[in-house]
Amino acid sequence: MDCKNTITISRQFGSGGKDIARALAEKLGISYFDKELISLAAKERGIDPMVFENVDEKATNSLLYSLSMGLYSFGNGFSSMGDLPVNDQLYMLQHKIIKQLASEKPCIFVGRCADYVLRDKANCINIFLYSDIDYRVKRTIEKNGVDPDRAEQAVNKADKTRANYYSFYSGKKWGRPENYDLCINTGKLTIEQCVDLIIDYINSRSK
């Protein structure tokens, strides 16, 4: 399939976003970027990727900094990135890299506010993956080896972190249907069915 679209995938924790993105990219014959964005950002900054790994998709903890800088500043550039919290350095670098990659070729981006970063890009399809808590807890236990007694807490904490990150950098509410083109309950479908559903949607948009 000759895909001309850029695709962003936002996802609840445990809903299978990474597996679906990887399978979709393989079927469409395009690249997908998830954790790879951390390595690319670290390479551009010339630092150890582990520095960014620990703050990936987490908003800065500095309330004073947030109030003083304002949401509008992100993505517009700063004279000295070194003065920013590590969280914000990573966001700005990923913001730049996402825009650059999307301008070069069709690809898939997982998380990192990509739908907001590419909000003005034509042919960009934004997808949100979700499922009920029981499905996500079960999947988290099986895929991540999380203690069953702590799995639900881990899932809820991860979702809260992602929601705070998205809200902080975009000023929008994570998971709201109006922010996306297509929302899929992954707990009701196999990975393959989710991929086929997304491709059907892409095809319908291109007609």
Side-chain angles (χ1 to χ4, degrees), residues 168-196:
F168 181 83
Y169 290 112
S170 73
K172 300 166 69 177
K173 190 173 178 62
W174 180 75
R176 290 288 292 269
E178 60 265 31
N179 294 336
Y180 311 98
D181 299 302
L182 179 65
C183 298
I184 301 175
N185 185 343
T186 60
K188 304 298 183 182
L189 303 168
T190 65
I191 289 176
E192 292 74 17
Q193 288 172 329
C194 288
V195 168
D196 289 342

Side-chain angles (χ1 to χ4, degrees), residues 21-177:
R22 185 186 291 116
L24 179 63
E26 184 176 343
K27 194 155 188 177
L28 292 176
I30 61 178
S31 301
Y32 94 100
F33 298 91
D34 185 2
K35 293 290 186 182
E36 294 81 4
L37 291 169
I38 301 175
S39 299
L40 292 173
K43 182 178 180 180
E44 180 155 336
R45 192 79 174 92
I47 63 174
D48 186 336
M50 285 303 297
V51 175
F52 283 153
E53 180 78 33
N54 294 328
V55 298
D56 185 39
E57 291 197 285
K58 296 177 183 176
T60 179
N61 292 321
S62 172
L63 177 60
L64 178 61
Y65 174 80
S66 307
L67 294 174
S68 64
M69 295 304 297
L71 294 172
Y72 64 87
S73 298
F74 294 103
N76 295 332
F78 291 91
S79 58
S80 179
M81 183 178 288
D83 293 336
L84 301 176
V86 176
N87 312 59
D88 301 324
Q89 292 184 40
L90 177 58
Y91 173 77
M92 289 180 63
L93 287 166
Q94 289 187 136
H95 184 117
K96 175 185 175 183
I97 292 167
I98 288 170
K99 279 200 162 187
Q100 181 179 338
L101 290 170
S103 71
E104 295 172 352
K105 58 184 179 180
C107 47
I108 297 170
F109 298 103
V110 179
R112 282 90 189 166
C113 292
D115 60 299
Y116 175 72
V117 173
L118 300 175
R119 61 193 180 279
D120 297 324
K121 179 175 175 55
N123 298 322
C124 184
I125 294 176
N126 302 312
I127 297 167
F128 186 76
L129 304 179
Y130 70 97
S131 58
D132 64 69
I133 188 66
D134 290 340
Y135 172 84
R136 293 188 292 126
V137 166
K138 182 175 183 292
R139 198 170 190 280
T140 298
I141 293 170
E142 294 174 350
K143 297 281 289 186
N144 302 94
V146 176
D147 183 342
D149 292 333
R150 300 182 179 180
E152 184 169 349
Q153 181 182 5
V155 168
N156 289 330
K157 183 177 180 181
D159 278 350
K160 184 176 180 179
T161 299
R162 288 177 179 176
N164 288 341
Y165 173 86
Y166 187 82
S167 176
F168 181 83
Y169 290 112
S170 73
K172 300 166 69 177
K173 190 173 178 62
W174 180 75
R176 290 288 292 269

